[in-house]
Amino acid sequence: MTDNEQQLIARFFADAAQQTIADDGFSHRVMRRLPSRVNWLARLWTAGCLTLGLVLFVVLRGWQPVGAMLTAATRWITEGSVLHVNLLAVVVVYFLVLFYGIREVLNREQIGLV
């Protein structure tokens, strides 16, 4: 595309952007009904639940059963009980599922489902 064509296109869109279309307040009503971008109550609720979960984890010593499960899983893997399971594949799948879960949560926050 030549510079002249680019200038013509830029001028066309600049002129079009300055035009206003009378819509009898329709745009304002639609924008007013859209959900707020900052849903502070949902974020506050999430932070409260996360804090409660962490407090319960510490009070009930949740690291003990988690440690026992990780120790048992490590022993199971190192003893050769796992038949033809590639540990790297398991780790990759774990992180892919984690990544897609986080992405889904972020997408839901963006479109206002959370």
Side-chain angles (χ1 to χ4, degrees), residues 1 6 9 17 21 26 28 35-36 40 42 50 66 68 70 74 81 85-86 88 103-104 108-109 114:
M1 194 180 285
Q6 288 180 349
I9 291 173
I21 299 172
F26 174 76
H28 180 69
S36 171
W40 62 272
L50 180 65
V66 170
L70 288 175
T74 304
S81 299
V85 173
N86 186 349
L88 179 62
R103 193 182 88 185
E104 183 67 25
R108 286 176 181 252
E109 279 188 2
V114 176

Side-chain angles (χ1 to χ4, degrees), residues 16 29 50 64 67 84-85 105 111-112:
R29 288 192 306 271
L50 180 65
Q64 291 175 345
H84 306 297
V85 173
V105 168
I111 60 174

Side-chain angles (χ1 to χ4, degrees):
M1 194 180 285
T2 65
D3 287 336
N4 188 29
E5 291 173 337
Q6 288 180 349
Q7 289 175 355
L8 286 173
I9 291 173
R11 194 172 359 164
F12 171 76
F13 283 115
D15 292 341
Q18 295 188 10
Q19 294 178 356
T20 58
I21 299 172
D23 63 355
D24 234 3
F26 174 76
S27 298
H28 180 69
R29 288 192 306 271
V30 167
M31 294 303 290
R32 198 174 57 222
R33 287 186 182 194
L34 289 175
S36 171
R37 286 193 179 266
V38 181
N39 193 349
W40 62 272
L41 186 58
R43 291 179 191 260
L44 184 65
W45 177 253
T46 301
C49 289
L50 180 65
T51 303
L52 178 64
L54 287 174
V55 167
L56 287 174
F57 185 81
V58 170
V59 168
L60 299 175
R61 296 180 181 163
W63 60 86
Q64 291 175 345
V66 170
M69 285 188 296
L70 288 175
T71 303
T74 304
R75 190 175 307 127
W76 181 65
I77 290 171
T78 57
E79 289 175 355
S81 299
V82 181
L83 299 176
H84 306 297
V85 173
N86 186 349
L87 186 58
L88 179 62
V90 172
V91 170
V92 168
V93 168
Y94 170 78
F95 281 108
L96 283 175
V97 170
L98 183 66
F99 170 77
Y100 283 116
I102 290 171
R103 193 182 88 185
E104 183 67 25
V105 168
L106 294 176
N107 283 342
R108 286 176 181 252
E109 279 188 2
Q110 279 183 339
I111 60 174
L113 293 177
V114 176

